[in-house]
Amino acid sequence: MADLKEVHVPDIGGHDNVPVIEVLIKPGDRVEKDQSLITLESDKATMEVPAPFAGTVKEVKLKVGDEVSEGAVIAQVEADGADATASKAETPAAAPAPAPAPAPTPAPAAAPAAAPAPAADAAKSAAPAPAAAPSPRPPLDATIVMPGDAPYASPAVRAFARELGVDIAQIKGSGRSGRIQREDVSGYVKHALASGARPGNAPVAGGNGLSLLPWPKVDFSKFGEIEEKPLSRIQKISGANLARNWAMIPHVTQHEDADITELEAFRKKLGEENKELKITPLVFQMKAVVAALKEYPQFNASLDETGEKLILKKYFHVGIAVDTPDGLVVPVIRDVDKKGLLDLARELGEISKKARDKKLGPAEMSGGCFSISSLGGIGGTAFTPIVNAPEVAILGVSKAAMKPVWNGKEFAPRLMLPLSLSYDHRVIDGALAARFAVFVAKQLGDIRRLLL
Ligand code: CAO
């Protein structure tokens, strides 16, 4: 027997007052279980709220522009008999929304398809995919990994497109507000097949697109026990940004060692005198980087969205990559040039605690000029950090180690800090990068320079 039930907004990751940007149902509509009812858009993600059961919409309780939180009533739905068990919609599917700062240049390079991936995994997408279903491989465009360009389509349509190996961002939707329908996906595939695109023979528009294989679809349970774990929201958002930056920026990494033997002795002394603070090498690196940004202003810059102009910044805000249980975040420490080592140590402690307690606001993660990613507390001898667009360079720091260094007469034991400077080769030439890295190393090698 039919049962009139209210459908509520589910858990939307603790967000309140999230605007409704689309209402996809009207009274009288039949909805299937998991069909999208409304679309919400927070500052970080667009989320489609699916129907928890099948039925007929009797009354819609929301309109575009309303702001909702968990528990708000979406609609009254007359549920089909056996389906009428749940009234709260399931947790919505989130698509990352635009990052606070836009990408510098829509370069002709291509990028992995809609599913964002951490950099290392993105690299794997170029590997052969033995278990992938045969599918047309359309040319991919770099804008696909721009989270803000996430196309409108229901989870079912997205799944259908994935199944066919189709990049949904290539499809023009024929539904309301450009919404992509199932027919649009099949029409796209038919067209691609008719125009000669087939597995292993994808067209490459103007030679500018990368022809990437679809993501491998593998039933891992065939090989042993597995467990599924959804990516956190932070991982999805940072993954999309990393994938875009990795695909669009021609990266080169310059390596350099800094002799921090004297700096380390000074740091230890400073730590003993200021026991309430944790003074790590990172604060010195921040000061050294700012000195280098002043010397080489090309590094304190961003490409504008046309890719034809550099914006040079006269302020010195440094982003610090912080590892949290939910993924990587990059809070920004402002005006590093105006702060002393102790102030920076205090602020770094506060901001990394805030990051790990998930209390960072968007404002605290924007406005960076240059980032530092320090893995020195963990280990490693070098790595290749990914530039945090629209910045043009990032300094990776590995673990300092005692090494024998030739001083002209003999090998002497020195504490050497490995630095890995990744830069956007569109903006920075190799020679300039080498000069910047040497400059940073010199600053750290002679801390008196940091006072200059
Ligand atoms: N070499 C040797 N030792 C180092 C070091 C280095 N380069 N950098 C830090 N250390 C030491 C510190 O002095 C500290 O030692 P004590 O415990 O004896 O005082 C210890 O390592 C731990 O330091 P820390 O990591 O807690 O502190 P930090 O200021 O160096 O870094 C933070 C703070 C927030 C950057 C760090 O905790 C973190 O999250 N790092 C990971 C960043 C990351 O994930 N980057 C990868 C991003 S992908 O590109």
Side-chain angles (χ1 to χ4, degrees):
M1 201 181 114
D3 181 11
L4 193 62
K5 293 183 78 81
E6 283 183 339
V7 178
H8 299 105
V9 172
D11 175 5
I12 45 176
H15 289 274
D16 285 325
N17 304 325
V18 179
V20 177
I21 59 160
E22 258 186 321
V23 176
L24 305 163
I25 46 168
K26 58 182 185 327
D29 279 358
R30 241 207 82 70
V31 288
E32 296 305 326
K33 184 173 186 307
D34 293 333
Q35 183 178 330
S36 297
L37 303 175
I38 56 171
T39 309
L40 305 176
E41 186 167 69
S42 75
D43 55 341
K44 289 268 155 58
T46 56
M47 298 167 267
E48 298 185 46
V49 180
F53 51 80
T56 306
V57 178
K58 287 292 158 193
E59 194 180 345
V60 180
K61 298 281 196 183
L62 296 173
K63 58 182 182 325
V64 171
D66 283 356
E67 295 189 346
V68 297
S69 307
E70 180 177 356
V73 181
I74 299 172
Q76 286 200 315
V77 178
E78 195 171 74
D80 296 352
D83 265 4
T85 44
S87 71
K88 204 168 187 184
E90 282 162 25
T91 303
T105 328
D121 288 346
K124 289 182 201 150
S125 68
S135 59
R137 294 189 289 125
L140 296 182
D141 188 275
T143 53
I144 293 160
V145 287
M146 297 287 283
D149 292 343
Y152 282 131
S154 71
V157 171
R158 285 176 198 278
F160 179 51
R162 266 200 305 276
E163 213 174 289
L164 297 177
V166 172
D167 166 22
I168 200 161
Q170 299 287 327
I171 301 175
K172 203 165 160 15
S174 62
R176 245 174 314 176
S177 315
R179 201 172 179 74
I180 299 165
Q181 323 271 29
R182 198 180 164 90
E183 300 72 59
D184 298 325
V185 178
S186 38
Y188 179 86
V189 172
K190 276 184 205 149
H191 179 77
L193 288 172
S195 63
R198 58 182 194 275
N201 187 23
V204 178
N208 286 338
L210 274 189
S211 174
L212 300 178
L213 291 170
W215 199 260
K217 197 175 161 194
V218 180
D219 176 8
F220 296 101
S221 65
K222 279 198 308 208
F223 308 113
E225 196 189 342
I226 59 162
E227 181 193 334
E228 287 189 4
K229 186 174 172 219
L231 290 183
S232 71
R233 209 167 139 267
I234 290 180
Q235 283 174 316
K236 284 186 196 158
I237 293 169
S238 67
N241 280 291
L242 287 168
R244 177 199 60 202
N245 299 347
W246 185 80
M248 291 178 73
I249 298 174
H251 279 79
V252 180
T253 305
Q254 174 74 20
H255 300 282
E256 181 67 55
D257 281 348
D259 182 339
I260 59 163
T261 317
E262 265 97 51
L263 183 153
E264 189 59 9
F266 177 63
R267 183 184 76 86
K268 287 209 166 117
K269 194 158 172 287
L270 206 58
E272 275 159 25
E273 288 165 9
N274 297 276
K275 288 207 166 34
E276 74 291 358
L277 286 177
K278 186 171 174 192
I279 303 168
T280 65
L282 193 48
V283 289
F284 294 89
Q285 291 150 21
M286 288 158 71
K287 290 302 267 185
V289 156
V290 165
L293 291 176
K294 286 185 174 170
E295 187 75 14
Y296 301 102
Q298 190 94 345
F299 280 79
N300 194 6
S302 287
L303 275 171
D304 78 342
E305 62 287 350
T306 65
E308 290 180 5
K309 196 165 61 183
L310 262 191
I311 318 290
L312 295 163
K313 298 159 203 172
K314 311 284 177 187
Y315 50 84
F316 300 90
H317 305 338
V318 177
I320 303 293
V322 177
D323 174 40
T324 79
D326 285 326
L328 177 71
V329 289
V330 189
V332 174
I333 299 195
R334 284 169 204 276
D335 299 315
V336 172
D337 57 319
K338 297 184 185 137
K339 293 176 182 163
L341 291 166
L342 300 182
D343 292 332
L344 291 173
R346 193 170 298 112
E347 204 172 326
L348 180 62
E350 286 164 6
I351 212 157
S352 25
K353 178 166 186 322
K354 240 174 153 182
R356 285 170 183 144
D357 293 345
K358 301 185 201 171
K359 296 217 169 105
L360 282 178
E364 291 166 296
M365 290 189 276
S366 54
C369 302
F370 180 101
S371 294
I372 303 179
S373 175
S374 172
L375 295 173
I378 304 170
T381 53
F383 66 108
T384 53
I386 297 178
V387 173
N388 186 18
E391 297 164 17
V392 293
I394 179 170
L395 185 70
V397 182
S398 299
K399 192 174 176 65
M402 289 304 281
K403 290 201 174 149
V405 177
W406 184 252
N407 64 13
K409 289 191 197 132
E410 59 192 354
F411 282 105
R414 306 295 295 174
L415 185 63
M416 304 304 288
L417 178 73
L419 306 172
S420 303
L421 175 76
S422 289
Y423 57 94
D424 184 336
H425 212 339
R426 293 171 301 174
V427 178
I428 292 156
D429 292 334
L432 192 64
R435 287 190 189 104
F436 185 95
V438 167
F439 188 91
V440 171
K442 274 201 177 133
Q443 297 288 314
L444 295 169
D446 182 356
I447 45 173
R448 290 168 305 180
R449 289 173 190 269
L450 290 178
L451 303 172
L452 295 176

